[in-house]
Each structure stands twice: as C-alpha cells, then as structure tokens.
Amino acid sequence: MVSPIVHAQTYSGFDKFTDNIKLFFSFGDNKVKLALEIGEKEVDSAAENVKLGNKDQARKNLDSASNKLNIVQSKITSEATEELKEQVKEVEKSIMVV
C-alpha cells in the first residue's frame, strides 16, 4: 500500500490517469491550461522522485512533462513553453547531481 504522504508528493497512478482522460477530451485554451498543469505536476513529481532516489521514475515524469509541452507548444506562444522547459532543465540538472 502506498503511503498517503508519498502519494501526495508524487504524481502517478489514478491521478495521472484521470488527468490524461481529461486532457484527451479537452479542447482549445482548456487543453493548453490542463497540459500546463499536468506538466507542472510531472516536473514537481520528478523533483520529489529524485529526492526519494527514484531516478527512473523521475525520468518518466520528465518525459511526460515534455510530451505535455508539445501540446502547449502547438497551441500557444513560446513564452509559456520556455518557462516549462526551464523547469524541466532544472530538475534534469538535479538528477545529474544526485
């Protein structure tokens, strides 16, 4: 059984599944906003997974965040996408340090 504390800190399982279903059925600005939110959750989870020593899962989180970034890039300006790219880069750097 997963500890509620760890589950709250990492983004996986049912929450990820639910968000991906919502993303699939969303359109326009709502899709962009949801993709950004999911990307942020993935980046935050990657950072937490690094702290927990789960580098493989952190990499999966970052890959997923990058996929969400592709959705965002196809719909909005480069300014918002650059912010998410920087967040991903910061976590990637922390993975290399640990």
Side-chain angles (χ1 to χ4, degrees):
M1 190 165 174
V2 176
S3 164
I5 294 172
V6 173
H7 180 70
Q9 294 172 344
T10 59
Y11 176 64
S12 61
F14 186 74
D15 293 333
K16 184 181 280 195
F17 175 78
T18 302
D19 281 349
N20 284 324
I21 294 296
K22 289 177 188 175
L23 184 64
F24 180 78
F25 287 107
S26 63
F27 298 97
D29 288 344
N30 288 334
K31 188 172 198 96
V32 170
K33 289 176 186 175
L34 186 55
L36 281 171
E37 289 174 19
I38 293 170
E40 285 183 31
K41 289 177 184 179
E42 292 285 6
V43 169
D44 291 344
S45 186
E48 189 59 35
N49 276 312
V50 168
K51 290 178 189 174
L52 296 172
N54 301 329
K55 290 184 181 182
D56 290 337
Q57 186 59 44
R59 172 56 55 199
K60 289 177 185 178
N61 292 127
L62 292 177
D63 289 343
S64 182
S66 293
N67 289 336
K68 301 310 179 265
L69 180 60
N70 289 333
I71 293 170
V72 173
Q73 285 178 319
S74 69
K75 307 273 184 204
I76 65 170
T77 67
S78 62
E79 287 179 21
T81 57
E82 286 302 315
E83 182 179 328
L84 189 54
K85 279 184 185 179
E86 288 302 315
Q87 290 175 350
V88 169
K89 286 179 185 177
E90 287 176 26
V91 176
E92 285 177 333
K93 287 178 188 175
S94 70
I95 289 172
M96 297 303 184
V97 172
V98 174

